[in-house]
Structures are given as C-alpha cells and as structure tokens.
Amino acid sequence: MIVQISSGQGPAECELAVVKLFNSLKSEYKDIELIQKHDAKTPGCCTSIMFSTDEDLSALEGTIQWICESPFRPHHKRKNWFVDVSIIPEQEIICQDNNIRFERFHCGGKGGQNVNKVETGVRLVHIPTGITVTSTAERSQLLNKKDALEKLAIILKSKQSEQAQLQINSAWQEHNKIVRGNPVRTYKGQAFQRKT
C-alpha cells in the first residue's frame, strides 16, 4: 500500500505535522519504507511524504488534526493544524516472462522454402493487457522472437510510463485535498501524543 501525508497549502506548522505524523507511524508500523519526500522551506519540515507498507492503513485516510501552540509563531491564536493522509493507487508491474504467451506460425512470403516450411513467424501475447506483437522480418524463429520481445518491451515501457504519470497525478491531486474537521485521528502537544 502506498500512502501520502500532505500539508496541502497549510503553513509551516502543518508541514511540521507531516514529519511528526510520519515518525509516529514509523514507530507504530515497523515495515514503513520512505518512497519520497518534498522538503519545505522551513528546516525539518516537509510538504508531503510518500511511503509504502504492507499494513492496511486505509482507516487512516482522511484528515489528521494536531492540537498544539505554534512552535514557529509564539502567541499565535491558532492551535489546530491539519494534514491529509491519502492512499495512492499502486503501479502495476507489467512485464514479467510468465505473463507472455509465445506462439509460432508459418509466415510465407520472401525467404524461400525455409519460410514456407518452418514456423519462423513469432507472435507474443502479453496476457494481462492483451497486447499482441508479431514478427516475421527474419528467417529464423530465434531472431523473430528477439525482435518481437523488443517491440513488446517498448510498448510496455510506454504503458508503464503512463501508469507512473497517473500515480504522480493522483498524488498531486490528493496533496491539495485537505478537509478540515471530522479528523480520523487527533494528536496533541509538541510530543505529538495520540488523543483519538
């Protein structure tokens, strides 16, 4: 599961809450691995942190509230700071050898008797996506298979890039989606103690 903690357009206090929440979750769930973080202008703060875990953290999706006096602006009236926790759709791993079905066929055309009698044409079917690639350019099945694999790799790499871009876009859309009020969890004080 990929999770993003975001301060949205919040001030430095919200950016600090992002780091505090990430550290709190790391102590709560030991398998958390950092994927990326966007540092804020204020040292020790982040606008967003994305991480992965095998745990199901879907119950955390939503707004997290931190009740605390501002550590950056003494005597500031506001004491409620909010961050957003979002589940980001995972990128599907597309190209694996066990996902490819290999078929041979007679291709005909130029190449003499070898082409007409021997199955030199190659068709690769990528089972999860249904993408089919054929190659009949060469006189040998081995060279046609290599050619078809190269074509398939190019198509799948393009598809993988599209999925990666969708994941980035999804993360960016979530970054600006903080809903203040009705928090999923609340933390209190500089020690970031969980209240609910």
Side-chain angles (χ1 to χ4, degrees):
M1 170 174 280
I2 297 175
V3 181
Q4 176 178 270
I5 306 169
S6 171
S7 65
Q9 302 300 317
E13 292 82 359
C14 294
E15 296 167 349
L16 179 60
V18 167
V19 175
K20 286 183 173 284
L21 179 59
F22 177 68
N23 291 333
S24 175
L25 292 175
K26 266 181 25 183
S27 65
E28 196 174 335
Y29 304 100
K30 304 298 182 193
D31 73 327
I32 285 179
E33 287 186 37
L34 178 69
I35 295 174
Q36 68 179 18
K37 66 178 185 162
H38 293 282
D39 291 326
K41 291 178 184 174
T42 308
C45 298
C46 290
T47 57
S48 71
I49 294 176
M50 191 182 297
F51 63 89
S52 66
T53 178
D54 290 332
E55 299 286 336
D56 182 8
L57 300 186
S58 52
L60 278 177
E61 191 166 26
T63 304
I64 305 293
Q65 180 182 19
W66 179 35
I67 302 169
C68 183
E69 289 185 18
S70 170
F72 304 114
R73 298 177 280 177
H75 313 297
H76 191 276
K77 290 181 188 177
R78 184 174 165 189
K79 291 180 176 45
N80 291 303
W81 314 103
F82 297 92
V83 296
D84 177 70
V85 175
S86 300
I87 308 300
I88 305 299
E90 291 195 52
Q91 199 175 333
E92 181 186 341
I93 297 170
I94 293 180
C95 193
Q96 295 178 346
D97 288 343
N98 58 347
N99 289 337
I100 300 171
R101 187 174 68 233
F102 169 73
E103 300 172 355
R104 302 178 302 263
F105 60 92
H106 296 283
C107 40
K110 295 180 182 178
Q113 291 295 319
N114 181 56
V115 171
N116 295 323
K117 288 183 175 181
V118 181
E119 294 178 327
T120 57
V122 171
R123 181 180 301 112
L124 298 179
V125 179
H126 187 251
I127 298 164
T129 60
I131 296 170
T132 303
V133 178
T134 59
S135 179
T136 58
E138 303 295 334
R139 287 185 54 165
S140 101
Q141 188 183 96
L142 186 65
L143 292 175
N144 280 332
K145 183 176 181 182
K146 183 177 181 234
D147 181 51
L149 281 168
E150 287 171 1
K151 289 178 185 176
L152 183 62
I154 290 167
I155 293 168
L156 292 177
K157 188 173 183 181
S158 169
K159 195 164 179 65
Q160 193 97 34
S161 295
E162 286 174 25
Q163 279 192 344
Q165 191 58 48
L166 282 172
Q167 187 180 38
I168 290 166
N169 291 346
S170 178
W172 182 247
Q173 286 172 353
E174 295 297 332
H175 180 69
N176 294 315
K177 192 185 91 177
I178 292 181
V179 178
R180 283 151 179 78
N182 198 22
V184 177
R185 278 191 186 181
T186 303
Y187 291 85
K188 245 185 147 175
Q190 287 291 341
F192 209 73
Q193 294 294 319
R194 184 175 170 186
K195 184 179 171 189
T196 58

